[in-house]
Amino acid sequence: MLLGASLLMALVSGLNDVVITEIMFNPDGPTLGPDSLYEWIELCNLTAEPVQLQGMVLSDRGNGLVLDEYVLARGSRVVVPADMGSFVEAYGERVPVVSWTGEWPGLSNASDMITLSDRYGMMVDMLSYTDHWGIRDGQQRSAADGTGASLEKINIRGPNNAANWAASVDYDCPVPDPETGDDKCWGTPGAVNSVE
């Protein structure tokens, strides 16, 4: 990552009201489905007051979307799904979600930069991840890279660097792996991260 981007990320991380706390950038195709339908981003309100998300923008280096009206309570989390119907089908109706207009950023399976801006265009949070984030000792590949896990922030008030993000370790999936019958790890959307 460029020095300028690292400095900007460090400055932003100390000022955030709403932060990106979890992403499903490469869903497990065999048990979950295609990226275009099952990617999602989780946001958390770190302030002591409710935050209106309407007008906030999530984007990558290309596409962007504008969040619809949604009041995010203090300390609460909400999911921005690529496709609302597919997300609800997979995770159920209990997970809080916010709708949006625009074009889904299409999270890259290799690396991407996600920015969250307020309605005035000021950056609120930025995450620049790679598919190497979340690799545990002895592993060749991150569990978040297409095997079902999400990528979760460890210290949600901490920086957005590789050391502060890990593959989720939860196993609370409503659909088992069709080949093994084992539960699959699909992250913790809308809830406390499994690695916090």
Side-chain angles (χ1 to χ4, degrees):
M1 180 186 302
L2 298 175
L3 180 59
S6 297
L7 178 60
L8 178 59
M9 223 165 46
L11 291 172
V12 168
S13 68
L15 302 173
N16 299 339
D17 292 338
V18 178
V19 296
I20 300 165
T21 49
E22 187 175 4
I23 60 172
M24 180 64 82
F25 71 92
N26 189 5
D28 174 19
T31 59
L32 190 53
D35 290 12
S36 60
L37 296 179
Y38 293 97
E39 289 179 343
W40 48 265
I41 299 169
E42 179 189 79
L43 305 175
C44 181
N45 176 8
L46 298 183
T47 72
E49 302 294 332
V51 172
Q52 174 57 258
L53 300 182
Q54 185 174 25
M56 296 184 95
V57 177
L58 267 172
S59 62
D60 64 358
R61 294 181 178 101
N63 302 328
L65 59 87
V66 180
L67 298 179
D68 290 338
E69 183 175 355
Y70 188 95
V71 177
L72 185 58
R74 65 178 187 163
S76 295
R77 303 172 197 225
V78 67
V79 173
V80 185
D83 182 83
M84 190 72 70
S86 298
F87 182 87
V88 170
E89 178 185 332
Y91 292 94
E93 297 182 356
R94 292 186 177 182
V95 179
V97 292
V98 57
S99 58
W100 51 270
T101 56
E103 192 169 350
W104 179 254
L107 308 179
S108 170
N109 291 347
S111 66
D112 212 341
M113 180 184 290
I114 307 168
T115 59
L116 175 66
S117 304
D118 67 19
R119 68 193 68 188
Y120 306 107
M122 298 295 293
M123 187 181 297
V124 176
D125 198 14
M126 178 181 71
L127 171 64
S128 185
Y129 69 89
T130 77
D131 58 356
H132 296 290
W133 285 25
I135 295 178
R136 293 189 179 90
D137 292 340
Q139 292 181 330
Q140 298 294 317
R141 178 180 178 189
S142 172
D145 186 19
T147 66
S150 64
L151 197 58
E152 296 181 322
K153 198 168 187 179
I154 299 168
N155 175 357
I156 62 173
R157 295 184 181 277
N160 283 331
N161 56 33
N164 197 36
W165 284 78
S168 60
V169 294
D170 61 297
Y171 290 92
D172 187 21
C173 170
V175 179
D177 186 313
E179 295 177 5
T180 66
D182 296 334
D183 287 341
K184 293 294 290 184
C185 175
W186 284 0
T188 56
V192 173
N193 293 344
S194 63
V195 299
E196 278 184 50

